Amino acid sequence: MKLSAWRLALRIARRDALRAKGRSALVVAMVALPVLGVTGADVVFRSADLSPAEHAVRVMGRAAAELEMVERGSAVKQAPDPEKGFSVENPKDKAKDGAAPQYTPAQQRSLDTEPAKLASQLLPAGATLVPERQGPYTAASSADGLLSTRVTEADLNDPVWNGRVDRVKGRAPANDHETAVTPDFLKRSGLKIGDRTAVRGLEATPFTITGVYEYPGDLTATELIAPPGSLVDRLAAAPGASRGPSSGSGEPTTWLVKLPAGVDLDWPKVVELNGHGFTVTSRAVLIDPPARADVPFFAEEDLHGTTVSYFDKTSVVILATVVGMALLEIVLLAGPAFAVGARRSRRQLGLLAAAGGDRANVRAVVLGGGIVLGVTGAAVGLALGVGLVALLRTQAEEYSGRRFGHFALQPLDLAGVLLVGLVTGLLAAVVPAVQASRQDVVSALTGRDSLKPPNRKLAVLGLLMLGGGAALALFGATSGIGNRSLAVLGGSAVAELGMVALTPYLVGLFGRLGRWLSLGPRLALRDSVRHRGRTAPAVAAVMAAVAGSVAVSVYTASFEEQYRREYVAHGPSGAVLLGSGWLSGTDGKLLPQMREAVERSIPDLGPRADVQNVHYKGDCSDGGPCGYISVDLPKEIRCPVLDDDREFGPGEAERILSTDKRCQTDDRRGSPFGSLTAGDAVLLHNLYGVTDPAAGQALAAGKAVVFDARYLKDGKLALNYNEPTDFNVSGGPARKPVRHEVAVDAVLADAVLPAPGQAVISPDTAARLGFTTATSGSVWLPGAAPSDGSQQKADGALARITDRGLLTVERGYQSRAGLITLGLTVFAGLVALGAAGIATGLAAADSQRDLTTLAAVGAEPRIRRSLSGFQCGVIAAMGALLGVVSGIVPGVALRKVEGAANNYPGISPEKLADKALVVFPWPTIAAIVVVLPLLAAALAAVLTRSRITMLRRSG
C-alpha cells in the first residue's frame, strides 16, 4: 500500500476511535497497563543500577579504595569488584596431616607482619588507612525495652565517609558519650535526637543521640555509629560479652585507603595485594576494569564452568514467562474489542470495498485502529509509569532498601516500551483485520453473515502446536533445551496459541451438546456455533483470562503444599519454647527472669522442662575454642562423604552424594536445640511428645533416648566429639580435628516430630562421659495452645529483658498464601469476568438484529435478556474449559523449573519431589468452570436493555 492510503486508513481509524470512546478507552487501558508496569520497572531498575563511579562512592565514600585482610598466610583471587566473587587459597588447607604448609614469600610475609603494617608497606607512599570497625549485634535501650542493633565506629566528621554514610538530620557525634543512629534504629526504637540510649553491658554510660545517618546502599540497617575508640573495645571488655572475631575487638582488618592527589590503585597493584591475602575494591579499577582475560579469578571460573547463563536463572525464567504470558493475554483480550469495532463498522467497511478498496485497504483500516490505540495506550502508560516513579521515588527507594544512583531515563529502553505497546495493539487487531477483509461485500452491506465451516487444517495445526508447545515447556523446564526462559515462555505461548487455533473447531464440537439443553441455552449455543467468526475470538479472550487465573492457582497451590510438607514442628502442638538452641552468656544469666516473665504472662502452662545443651571443653559462648559433639549413624549406613579420615579427588564427593543412597536422606528436624541435650522425663514429654514412661526410666538409669531407629546398633548409640580447635591461630602445621567416639546404651522412643541426629541424656550421664552442660532454654506443654493475646503479653515482657525473639508457640503449619495470593487469584478472576463481559459486547453487537426480530414477533423483555445471558454464559463456559487446559501448562512448567533449580548432590528424593510438587486446586478450578459462566450470564441478563431500537432488516 502507498503511504497516502495508510494516512487515510489511520485517519478513519482515529475517527472510529473517537466515535466509540468506551471501546477505545478499554483497549487503551489494556495496552497502557502493561506498558505502565514495564516502564516503571525499567526506570526503577535503571535508576537503581549504579554506574561504576556511583558504586565506588557507596563502597568507599571519598576514599581511593577499600582494603580487607581476608586471611593471613593466604592468597586471594578476586573479580575487579570483590563483591562479585573471590576465592581464597591457604597452603595449610592443602598440606597433608602433620606436614608443614608450603608458603610463598608473599604468604609468609603476610603471616609474619601485622595486617595494618603490611598494608602500609605495600600501598603507595603517602597512603592513609582509616580503620573500619564493626562490632557485634547487641541490644540498646529503646522506648519500650531493648532493640537488637549492630554497633560500629566511624569518625563521621571525616569527609572520607561521605557517600558511604550520609547525614539525614542532626550532627555527627563530638565526644565519647554521643552517637549517631540510622533511620531504622530511630523508627523502631521510638527515640528521637537528644534522647539517650544505653548499650547492653554499658548501661552505666548511655549515649546521647546527636544525629541520624543512613547507608544509601542499605536503608534497612539498624545501627548505632559511635566515634572511634568509644564503643567496640569497651563492649568487648564488658562482663559476659563475646570476645570472638565477631566482636570487632582487636586489630582492625578492614580499612578505607586515602591516597595523595593523582595516585591510584591500578589492577597490577590489586593483584599484588591479593597475593598477600588482601581483597581490594579500587575506585580506579571499578571505573576502568581490566580485560576478562587479565583476571585470574575469571580464568578459574571459566575453567570450571561455574558461570550460569543469565536467561537460565530461575528468577529470570519465571519473570520472562509471567511477562510474556501477560502480554499474550492482553493481545487475546484486546482482540475481541477490535472485533466489536469491525463488526459495528461492517457496513462502513463494506462501502469501502464497494467503492473500489481492495482487501489490503480494509485490513489497513482495522490495523490502523490497532496502531492508533496501541500507540495511544503505550504513550499513556509510558507517561504514567515515568510520572509515578518520579512521584513515588522516595517510597520506591525505601521499599527496595537502597537509594537510586540517579533518575535514569534510557531513550532506547523507552522506545522499546513504546514498540511493545504498538506491537500489542497490532497483534490484537490482526485477526479481526483479516476477518473483515475476507467478508463478502454484499453480506457486509446487508448485515448478513457468510457462514463457513471450520478449517480442519487450522485445527490440526492448532493440535500440533498445543502438543508441541506443552512438550517444549515441560521438557525444556527440566532438561535444558536451549535456554530455559525461551523454552518455558515459548512453549507456553505456542500451546496457548495452538488452543486459539483449535477454538473454531472446538466451538463446533460444543454445538453437539445443544440437543440435551433447554430452549434458551440451545438457541444460544447454536447461535454461537453458527457465528464462529465472532464466537472464536470471544472464547479465546475468556480462555486467555482463565488460563492466567488457573496458572496462578496451580503455582500458588503447589507452593502452599510444598511449604506444608517441608514444615517441621518445633515441638508437640501447643508447646511453648523459650530459647533458640543457643544463648549468649548475657542471655543465659537472664534466663530465670525470662522464665518468670513467660509464666506470669501465660496462664496454665503446666510443668516446666529445662533444656540443657551438652558441650565438650567449653561452650563457645565467649568466642574461644570449644569442642563439638554429634550424634552419628553407624559407620556402615553413614554417608562416606562425612568420614574425616577419607580424602576425595576432584568431583568425587559430588559423585558420591549424587549416587550413594546413604547420602540422600532427609535429616530435617524440628527441635531448635542441639544434637545432644540433657534433661529428664518431663523434657521428653514437653519437647518430643514422648508418653511412654519406660523412656523416662531408661533416661534416669543412665541410658540415652533416641528417636530414629537408624541410630541404634545393638542397643548402643555412637557419640562423636572433637577436641577444641582454635580457628584464630594462623599458620602452623595443618592438622585434622582430633575425634573421639563413645558408645552409650540407648533406647528408642516414639516422638511426635522428626528428630534425626538428636538424643537426650541425663545431666549425670553427661558428667560421667566427661561432658559439661549449660541451660539453653525451657519448654512447657499446656493442655491448649496459648491465646494470641497471652503470647503478645509474654513477648512484650521479654522485650524489656532481652532484644532477641526467644519465645515460640507451636501452632502447626501456618499458611503462607496470605493476601498476596488471594489478591492475585481475585484479580485473575476479575480479568476473566471482564473478558466474559467483552464477549457479551461482541455477541450483542452481532445479535442485535436477532433481538429485533424477537421483539417484532412479540417476545417479552425477559426472553431477550435470558437469550443474552445464555449467549454470554455459553461463551464463558467454553472459554473457561479451554482456559483450564491452557493454564495448566505454564503453571506446571514453572514448578518444574524450580524443581530442577533445587536439585543438588545429596538431596533426598522426598525433598526433591516436594520442590517440584504440582498440585491442582480442583475446588478453585471447579469454581472457575461453574461459577464464572453463571456469573457472566447473570450479569449479561441484568445489563441487557429491556427496550431496544427497532431496526430494518435488509434483504
Side-chain angles (χ1 to χ4, degrees), residues 21-43:
K21 294 183 176 62
R23 175 175 57 83
S24 300
L26 175 66
V27 176
V28 167
M30 284 193 292
V31 174
L33 188 61
V35 169
L36 185 152
V38 173
T39 300
D42 178 77
V43 174

Side-chain angles (χ1 to χ4, degrees), residues 557-636:
S558 302
F559 248 120
E560 182 74 5
E561 183 61 25
Q562 174 192 332
Y563 288 140
R564 186 184 303 278
R565 293 190 181 189
E566 290 179 345
Y567 177 77
V568 180
H570 285 71
S573 178
V576 178
L577 290 79
L578 178 63
S580 59
W582 178 86
L583 292 177
S584 66
T586 303
D587 283 331
K589 295 177 182 178
L590 296 173
L591 190 56
Q593 299 179 44
M594 298 182 201
R595 290 172 179 153
E596 182 181 352
V598 172
E599 292 175 334
R600 188 172 57 248
S601 302
I602 304 177
D604 303 324
L605 281 174
R608 186 188 79 215
D610 293 334
V611 187
Q612 301 180 55
N613 278 347
V614 182
H615 305 285
Y616 177 65
K617 293 185 179 181
D619 60 4
C620 305
S621 62
D622 59 354
C626 56
Y628 174 75
I629 304 175
S630 63
V631 177
D632 286 352
L633 289 165
K635 188 176 181 63
E636 58 270 18

Side-chain angles (χ1 to χ4, degrees), residues 30-278:
M30 284 193 292
V31 174
L33 188 61
V35 169
L36 185 152
V38 173
T39 300
D42 178 77
V43 174
V44 169
F45 175 78
R46 291 292 188 180
S47 300
D49 187 23
L50 305 179
S51 67
E54 291 168 341
H55 177 58
V57 172
R58 292 279 173 91
V59 172
M60 64 196 71
R62 294 187 180 179
E66 182 184 46
L67 188 69
E68 180 179 1
M69 169 56 75
V70 179
E71 183 181 3
R72 295 177 67 178
S74 66
V76 173
K77 294 179 181 178
Q78 69 164 69
D81 181 2
E83 288 184 3
K84 297 180 179 179
F86 66 88
S87 60
V88 182
E89 295 180 359
N90 195 312
K92 71 178 183 181
D93 296 331
K94 297 181 178 181
K96 300 295 183 180
D97 192 17
Q102 301 298 313
Y103 293 103
T104 65
Q107 292 169 335
Q108 189 64 50
R109 184 181 177 186
S110 174
L111 276 175
D112 299 338
T113 311
E114 288 297 322
K117 183 177 180 181
L118 177 62
S120 298
Q121 294 172 355
L122 295 174
L123 290 170
T128 303
L129 297 177
V130 179
E132 297 180 28
R133 302 198 63 187
Q134 281 201 334
Y137 279 100
T138 182
S141 60
S142 66
D144 297 322
L146 293 174
L147 174 67
S148 179
T149 182
R150 185 79 184 245
V151 296
T152 189
E153 292 182 353
D155 182 7
L156 296 178
N157 291 300
D158 189 341
V160 74
W161 294 98
N162 293 349
R164 174 165 170 167
V165 187
D166 291 337
R167 185 177 68 87
V168 177
K169 57 183 177 180
R171 61 173 178 83
N175 57 58
D176 290 352
H177 301 289
E178 295 179 343
T179 186
V181 297
T182 59
D184 192 68
F185 181 99
L186 206 67
K187 176 182 177 181
R188 295 177 57 195
S189 67
L191 303 176
K192 60 182 183 297
I193 293 178
D195 289 345
R196 305 175 82 187
T197 182
V199 178
R200 188 166 65 179
L202 303 176
E203 290 84 357
T205 55
F207 292 85
T208 300
I209 299 174
T210 63
V212 180
Y213 283 73
E214 70 176 17
Y215 290 94
D218 186 9
L219 300 179
T220 61
T222 304
E223 196 160 308
L224 189 148
I225 309 171
S230 65
L231 179 56
V232 174
D233 288 338
R234 291 172 55 204
L235 187 61
S242 172
R243 295 174 179 83
S246 63
S247 68
S249 59
E251 293 299 320
T253 58
T254 307
W255 305 265
L256 296 181
V257 180
K258 295 195 288 187
L259 294 175
V263 179
D264 290 321
L265 286 183
D266 56 13
W267 182 244
K269 176 58 73 174
V270 169
V271 174
E272 179 187 352
L273 288 162
N274 289 161
H276 291 79
F278 292 100

Side-chain angles (χ1 to χ4, degrees), residues 490-765:
S492 300
V494 168
E496 188 159 334
L497 290 174
M499 187 63 79
V500 171
L502 266 174
T503 299
Y505 185 78
L506 294 176
V507 167
L509 296 181
F510 279 118
R512 298 181 181 179
L513 301 175
R515 68 184 69 178
W516 293 290
L517 300 178
S518 59
L519 178 61
R522 185 164 67 249
L523 286 176
L525 184 57
R526 288 179 175 175
D527 180 71
S528 298
V529 173
R530 187 167 60 251
H531 300 283
R532 288 188 183 90
R534 65 155 158 87
T535 303
V539 170
V542 178
M543 181 198 72
V546 170
S549 177
V550 170
V552 170
S553 299
V554 170
Y555 189 74
T556 54
S558 302
F559 248 120
E560 182 74 5
E561 183 61 25
Q562 174 192 332
Y563 288 140
R564 186 184 303 278
R565 293 190 181 189
E566 290 179 345
Y567 177 77
V568 180
H570 285 71
S573 178
V576 178
L577 290 79
L578 178 63
S580 59
W582 178 86
L583 292 177
S584 66
T586 303
D587 283 331
K589 295 177 182 178
L590 296 173
L591 190 56
Q593 299 179 44
M594 298 182 201
R595 290 172 179 153
E596 182 181 352
V598 172
E599 292 175 334
R600 188 172 57 248
S601 302
I602 304 177
D604 303 324
L605 281 174
R608 186 188 79 215
D610 293 334
V611 187
Q612 301 180 55
N613 278 347
V614 182
H615 305 285
Y616 177 65
K617 293 185 179 181
D619 60 4
C620 305
S621 62
D622 59 354
C626 56
Y628 174 75
I629 304 175
S630 63
V631 177
D632 286 352
L633 289 165
K635 188 176 181 63
E636 58 270 18
I637 62 173
R638 188 187 310 161
C639 179
V641 175
L642 301 178
D643 292 338
D644 289 337
D645 56 352
R646 180 173 174 179
E647 295 185 0
F648 301 96
E652 185 181 1
E654 288 79 4
R655 180 186 58 78
I656 293 174
L657 288 171
S658 300
T659 57
D660 196 323
K661 297 298 182 183
R662 294 175 294 177
C663 302
Q664 299 170 4
T665 57
D666 188 355
D667 292 329
R668 289 174 294 181
R669 57 195 188 192
S671 170
F673 300 98
S675 298
L676 187 63
T677 54
D680 53 16
V682 181
L683 176 64
L684 293 177
H685 176 259
N686 289 4
L687 185 58
Y688 295 100
V690 176
T691 57
D692 186 359
Q697 296 168 4
L699 191 66
K703 295 183 178 181
V705 177
V706 295
F707 313 99
D708 189 330
R710 297 177 301 157
Y711 289 81
L712 275 180
K713 181 181 179 182
D714 300 328
K716 298 286 186 179
L717 172 69
L719 296 179
N720 281 280
Y721 54 98
N722 295 345
E723 290 292 333
T725 300
D726 191 350
F727 293 100
N728 296 321
V729 177
S730 301
R735 62 185 181 89
K736 296 180 179 178
V738 179
R739 293 174 58 90
H740 307 283
E741 182 173 309
V742 61
V744 182
D745 291 333
V747 297
L748 179 67
D750 292 328
V752 297
L753 68 158
Q758 288 190 319
V760 179
I761 60 177
S762 67
D764 291 339
T765 302

Side-chain angles (χ1 to χ4, degrees), residues 188 345 347 373 515 779 786 868 896 950:
R188 295 177 57 195
S345 303
R347 183 174 176 82
L373 297 181
R515 68 184 69 178
V779 186
S868 294
K896 296 300 181 183
M950 301 297 289

